[in-house]
Amino acid sequence: MGQHFNWNEIDIDEVKKQQSLLNISLAVTAKKTVFTPNILALFRNQLHYISWQYWVVQLSFMILALSSLEISKYLGIDTHGIMNTATLIVTSLGVIGMNELNKSISCNMMELEQVCYFSSKQLLCIKMILFGAVDLVFLTALILMNHGSEGLISFGLYIIVPFIISNICYLTILIITRGINPAYTYFLAGIFTGAFALMVMSLPGICTAANQGIWFMVLLISIIGLGLEIRLILSKLEEREVLCTNYR
């Protein structure tokens, strides 16, 4: 028969006991169980996951676009011709960023991202802000270098409106396309929006001071539409409605 062990016979040093409990409490308190990165850390983290192909293609496109406009000015093409070329450029600008934005979805990675530290909503927001910032830098350079006799505000207005409308089209494609290669879809959308913008720009008197009020109204409506489009995408992400889109 085994002997009954009496716990009361153990001599416990109360001072060491309290010190050990205090050390455990301090260790638990010091342990960082929740990591909250700042905004800069979030963007720096996502830069690692943007492919080098995006930066090469985007930079090459910007250099070629600005160079073609400079060559056009050297050849004596008037401001209206420059504006038409710039319109084609800005309506195609979003194709590059949207293909990269759509890559995680088309490569079946959104479900994996959903169970990682960052939610799909956060990742999408960060990428959209990054690509949008790159596009805005390019638009600023394009407008400053090519406004000519149209004036800075007028030229910028005629360029920014088609840019925003084309991006609304691309974001719509991001939502509705299923089972289609997105690269071809965005490319075709770029051709369509560019052709439509040129048709509008070719209307007599459309780019005159008398019609600037209409342009400002379209700009306001476009900005509101773009905001609603982004809000719709984010709401669908929360409802898990776009996680399985664009599968190939």
Side-chain angles (χ1 to χ4, degrees):
M1 298 292 294
Q3 295 181 351
H4 178 70
F5 186 79
N6 189 357
W7 288 94
N8 294 326
E9 295 178 357
I10 299 177
D11 185 18
I12 299 176
D13 190 330
E14 290 296 329
V15 176
K16 291 184 177 180
K17 174 184 175 181
Q18 295 301 322
Q19 184 61 43
S20 298
L21 292 174
L22 178 61
N23 291 337
I24 293 172
S25 177
L26 291 174
V28 172
T29 304
K31 187 174 180 60
K32 195 171 185 179
T33 57
V34 178
F35 176 66
T36 307
N38 56 35
I39 297 296
L40 183 60
L42 288 173
F43 282 91
R44 187 169 59 245
N45 176 278
Q46 282 307 298
L47 283 173
H48 293 291
Y49 299 102
I50 298 176
S51 67
W52 62 268
Q53 291 94 334
Y54 163 77
W55 297 111
V56 171
V57 174
Q58 185 74 290
L59 183 60
S60 300
F61 178 83
M62 292 178 177
I63 293 174
L64 288 174
L66 294 177
S67 299
S68 65
L69 290 173
E70 290 299 313
I71 293 173
S72 298
K73 288 189 292 185
Y74 178 78
L75 295 175
I77 297 176
D78 60 8
T79 304
H80 188 72
I82 296 293
M83 196 157 49
N84 287 339
T85 305
T87 299
L88 283 176
I89 291 171
V90 298
T91 52
S92 304
L93 183 61
V95 174
I96 304 170
M98 289 304 301
N99 273 312
E100 183 68 23
L101 184 66
N102 196 67
K103 183 178 293 183
S104 58
I105 302 177
S106 62
C107 293
N108 305 347
M109 292 295 291
M110 286 293 272
E111 283 77 2
L112 179 60
E113 291 176 351
Q114 187 63 28
V115 298
C116 295
Y117 178 77
F118 299 107
S119 69
S120 300
K121 181 177 178 180
Q122 289 174 314
L123 293 172
L124 191 67
C125 285
I126 293 171
K127 289 176 182 177
M128 283 195 293
I129 293 172
L130 284 171
F131 299 149
V134 172
D135 290 347
L136 287 177
V137 170
F138 173 73
L139 284 175
T140 302
L142 186 149
I143 293 169
L144 290 176
M145 294 172 61
N146 298 282
H147 61 84
S149 60
E150 282 290 338
L152 187 63
I153 296 178
S154 298
F155 188 84
L157 181 64
Y158 303 145
I159 295 302
I160 291 174
V161 168
F163 169 75
I164 295 177
I165 293 176
S166 65
N167 276 275
I168 293 175
C169 294
Y170 300 142
L171 289 174
T172 302
I173 292 172
L174 180 68
I175 296 175
I176 65 176
T177 51
R178 293 178 182 272
I180 301 174
N181 191 327
Y184 292 106
T185 311
Y186 293 128
F187 179 73
L188 292 174
I191 295 176
F192 172 78
T193 54
F196 180 76
L198 282 181
M199 288 175 58
V200 173
M201 299 291 285
S202 64
L203 294 175
I206 190 65
C207 296
T208 58
N211 290 319
Q212 280 195 0
I214 298 175
W215 280 93
F216 275 110
M217 185 180 301
V218 174
L219 175 63
L220 179 60
I221 295 173
S222 301
I223 292 173
I224 294 174
L226 183 62
L228 293 175
E229 193 84 28
I230 294 173
R231 182 179 178 182
L232 177 62
I233 292 176
L234 298 181
S235 66
K236 284 184 175 294
L237 275 176
E238 290 181 344
E239 298 166 5
R240 310 298 187 264
E241 290 186 17
V242 298
L243 294 183
C244 297
T245 58
N246 297 327
Y247 269 24
R248 287 185 279 176

